[in-house]
Amino acid sequence: MTEVTEKKVYSVKEIQEILAISKNAVYKLISNDPPFKILKIGTTYRVQKKSFDNWFEGNDN
């Protein structure tokens, strides 16, 4: 039996869709002191879901 775990990160594509902005705009946002936590694994970026969601909802936590 496979357990379903809650997603912990967003991809650049998912951030692009959530914010309705271009991929280049996402990369600019995450490269200039982003207001949420970013993980860089090799050449791939991931955005910490909890951190992004708090920022998006206007929470300071």
Side-chain angles (χ1 to χ4, degrees):
M1 185 182 220
T2 305
E3 275 188 49
V4 177
T5 58
E6 184 179 339
K7 192 171 188 167
K8 304 248 184 212
V9 295
Y10 289 123
S11 67
V12 168
K13 176 84 172 154
E14 289 170 317
I15 297 298
Q16 178 184 354
E17 291 170 358
I18 292 166
L19 297 178
I21 60 177
S22 72
K23 186 182 349 180
N24 286 340
V26 174
Y27 281 112
K28 284 182 185 177
L29 177 63
I30 65 177
S31 69
N32 294 320
D33 194 26
F36 39 80
K37 293 181 182 176
I38 302 294
L39 302 169
K40 185 176 181 190
I41 304 163
T43 59
T44 303
Y45 288 92
R46 293 291 181 254
V47 176
Q48 185 188 54
K49 183 180 183 306
K50 184 176 179 180
S51 177
F52 177 84
D53 290 345
N54 283 334
W55 169 78
F56 188 71
E57 294 169 7
N59 298 328
D60 290 337
N61 302 11

